[in-house]
């Protein structure tokens, strides 16, 4: 899911407002039992001599 929230604030208030919104959103998602996934990176290690490939998700 992707969410977009747009609002207008005076420039000096921008970062404080953004932080407040993100904190509130995070708290509400936790309260609702919704987990935010994070990007997974798949790294492959290859052993050129043995011709083997081992991978794991980090």
């Amino acid at each position: 899911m992707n969410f977009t929230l747009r609002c207008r604030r005076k420039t000096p208030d921008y970062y404080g407002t953004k932080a407040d919104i993100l904190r509130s959103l995070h708290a509400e998602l936790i309260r609702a039992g919704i987990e935010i996934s994070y990007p997974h990176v798949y790294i492959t290690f290859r052993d050129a001599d043995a011709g083997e490939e081992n991978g794991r998700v980090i």
Side-chain angles (χ1 to χ4, degrees):
M1 294 181 155
N2 292 319
F3 297 95
T4 301
L5 172 67
R6 297 176 193 258
C7 60
R8 297 180 62 93
R9 294 295 300 161
K10 293 180 181 177
T11 302
D13 299 333
Y14 175 78
Y15 290 106
T17 302
K18 181 178 178 180
D20 291 343
I21 290 170
L22 291 175
R23 244 182 263 126
S24 296
L25 177 61
H26 186 252
E28 289 300 321
L29 291 174
I30 289 173
R31 189 180 352 263
I34 299 171
E35 273 187 43
I36 304 276
S37 64
Y38 58 92
H40 295 273
V41 177
Y42 187 79
I43 298 176
T44 302
F45 300 94
R46 294 184 180 169
D47 185 346
D49 296 329
E52 295 177 1
E53 183 175 305
N54 297 315
R56 62 183 168 155
V57 175
I58 296 179

